[in-house]
Amino acid sequence: GSIMDAVLTSYPGANCTQNEVAQGVCTGPRNTIDRTGGTPTLSPDWKFTLRTEYWMPVFDDYKATFNAVVLFSDGYLYAFDELFVMKPHEDLNLSAQFSTMDDKWGISVWGRHILEPLPTHQREFDYDTEFETINLSQSQFMTYGISLNYSF
């Protein structure tokens, strides 16, 4: 896990968002602002990951392996305009594999981002009233599959 205290140490001349332009807080040339000392995007204050793996022999030459990864994360901004934020969330990855003891070959089933954490659209920061978000995309799409592995 990690605990972060991320700060923009130097970011003069950053582009302003539509809200900042409308509020008249852009003090630099061509609608720019000094973001020095501000919070960077995509930077949660804390994030912890728990990982476990268990394997057991099956017959004499094979093994079964199970793997799980659980993530806990604080919320963070997607962009400076604050339209989309990721609130505190959890996620889960799972896999199961059947293989030879020497991992010469194996077959596995897996699922990633099973809990699918979703960003939140904050309409109060949406300055463009002509734009409407109908379907908000997911930050981490759930994926799953089967993998065949062979080592030469």
Side-chain angles (χ1 to χ4, degrees):
S2 60
I3 296 176
M4 299 167 271
D5 186 18
V7 174
L8 295 168
T9 56
S10 177
Y11 197 2
N15 290 331
C16 284
T17 65
Q18 288 181 335
N19 280 343
E20 290 167 338
V21 171
Q23 294 168 2
V25 297
C26 301
T27 57
R30 296 182 307 279
N31 288 331
T32 59
I33 195 169
D34 185 2
R35 295 198 188 283
T36 302
T39 302
T41 59
L42 305 174
S43 180
D45 288 339
W46 53 266
K47 187 176 191 178
F48 295 97
T49 304
L50 302 171
R51 179 183 310 261
T52 185
E53 183 172 293
Y54 174 77
W55 71 272
M56 63 182 198
V58 178
F59 306 117
D60 290 333
D61 298 326
Y62 304 100
K63 66 179 176 179
T65 306
F66 304 96
N67 183 298
V69 178
V70 180
L71 166 90
F72 301 94
S73 178
D74 189 25
Y76 52 85
L77 290 175
Y78 265 69
F80 292 114
D81 60 13
E82 300 183 33
L83 280 177
F84 296 96
V85 297
M86 178 63 84
K87 293 188 176 181
H89 60 280
E90 308 80 32
D91 204 356
L92 175 66
N93 297 339
L94 297 172
S95 69
Q97 180 176 3
F98 180 78
S99 64
T100 58
M101 281 292 203
D102 61 359
D103 290 323
K104 183 75 174 171
W105 66 265
I107 183 169
S108 60
V109 294
W110 50 268
R112 294 188 185 123
H113 306 299
I114 293 170
L115 301 180
E116 287 188 319
L118 301 172
T120 300
H121 180 215
Q122 301 190 119
R123 294 195 63 78
E124 64 269 22
F125 294 106
D126 199 346
Y127 184 72
D128 187 358
T129 57
E130 298 294 319
F131 175 77
E132 184 176 337
T133 303
I134 297 171
N135 293 319
L136 182 61
S137 65
Q138 298 161 339
S139 65
Q140 300 288 338
F141 291 102
M142 178 173 48
T143 55
Y144 49 90
I146 298 174
S147 298
L148 300 172
N149 305 314
Y150 182 79
S151 298
F152 294 97

